[in-house]
Amino acid sequence: MIPEENNVIEEAQQEVKETVAEVQEKVEEAVKADEPKSSIEDVVDQAKDKVEDILGDLKENENVKAVQEKVEGAIKDFKENENVKAAQQKVEDTINDLKNNEHVKEAVDFVKEHADKAGDTLQDAVEEVQKSGFWQKLKGLFKK
């Protein structure tokens, strides 16, 4: 960051701290006053106005605007950067190559085919175990 920008931010922080201190002091005075409700409302309104003024000043500050423009420019440059575009294109090309690769397609088909067979084989094994006398004895032991 530019030192001027740091100064602006530090000044704004200091103003906010001072405003908070003023508000705290006025709230304490309002609590002690005869008509605390109206005094507290006045203090809150004054604090709100002061904070809005500080925020408005920050939004209009040239250094803040310059920083904002630099950040926006950096984001735009990054989006338009040829290296970033090239990397993005390379990833997309690799994904498309994998989708169209015969070996990958064969592997997917093999897995699909054998997964179904494995599932069927497993189901058959489960059914055989459930029919067995051993399984029936186990069920009898654990039944209530």
Side-chain angles (χ1 to χ4, degrees), residues 99-118:
K99 286 180 182 178
N100 297 324
N101 185 296
E102 285 303 314
H103 296 292
V104 173
K105 287 180 181 179
E106 289 172 9
V108 169
D109 291 341
F110 179 83
V111 169
K112 285 181 183 177
E113 177 184 333
H114 288 84
D116 291 341
K117 287 181 185 176

Side-chain angles (χ1 to χ4, degrees), residues 4-5 7-9 11-16 18-19 48-66 68:
E4 296 170 357
E5 295 166 357
N7 290 340
V8 170
I9 293 170
E11 289 173 8
Q13 289 174 334
Q14 186 60 36
E15 286 183 42
V16 169
E18 290 171 4
T19 301
K48 183 179 175 184
D49 291 343
K50 186 133 186 169
V51 169
E52 287 174 354
D53 290 344
I54 292 170
L55 290 175
D57 292 345
L58 279 175
K59 288 179 183 177
E60 297 301 318
N61 184 285
E62 292 303 317
N63 290 327
V64 173
K65 285 182 179 180
Q68 184 179 8

Side-chain angles (χ1 to χ4, degrees), residues 75-141:
I75 291 170
K76 183 179 176 186
D77 290 345
F78 183 74
K79 287 180 180 178
E80 295 173 354
N81 184 297
E82 292 303 317
N83 292 331
V84 173
K85 286 181 180 180
Q88 181 180 7
Q89 187 61 46
K90 182 133 180 126
V91 169
E92 289 173 3
D93 291 346
T94 302
I95 290 170
N96 288 330
D97 289 347
L98 286 171
K99 286 180 182 178
N100 297 324
N101 185 296
E102 285 303 314
H103 296 292
V104 173
K105 287 180 181 179
E106 289 172 9
V108 169
D109 291 341
F110 179 83
V111 169
K112 285 181 183 177
E113 177 184 333
H114 288 84
D116 291 341
K117 287 181 185 176
D120 292 343
T121 303
L122 185 60
Q123 184 61 36
D124 292 344
V126 168
E127 289 172 5
E128 287 298 317
V129 169
Q130 288 176 340
K131 290 179 188 176
S132 73
F134 177 73
W135 178 257
Q136 297 303 322
K137 287 180 184 177
L138 280 176
K139 267 177 62 176
L141 287 173

Side-chain angles (χ1 to χ4, degrees), residues 10-66:
E10 289 172 3
E11 289 173 8
Q13 289 174 334
Q14 186 60 36
E15 286 183 42
V16 169
K17 287 179 184 177
E18 290 171 4
T19 301
V20 169
E22 289 175 24
V23 168
Q24 287 175 339
E25 185 178 308
K26 289 181 180 182
V27 167
E28 289 172 6
E29 290 173 9
V31 169
K32 294 176 186 175
D34 292 337
E35 299 175 17
K37 185 176 181 182
S38 63
S39 297
I40 290 175
E41 289 172 356
D42 292 342
V43 169
V44 170
D45 289 341
Q46 290 173 1
K48 183 179 175 184
D49 291 343
K50 186 133 186 169
V51 169
E52 287 174 354
D53 290 344
I54 292 170
L55 290 175
D57 292 345
L58 279 175
K59 288 179 183 177
E60 297 301 318
N61 184 285
E62 292 303 317
N63 290 327
V64 173
K65 285 182 179 180

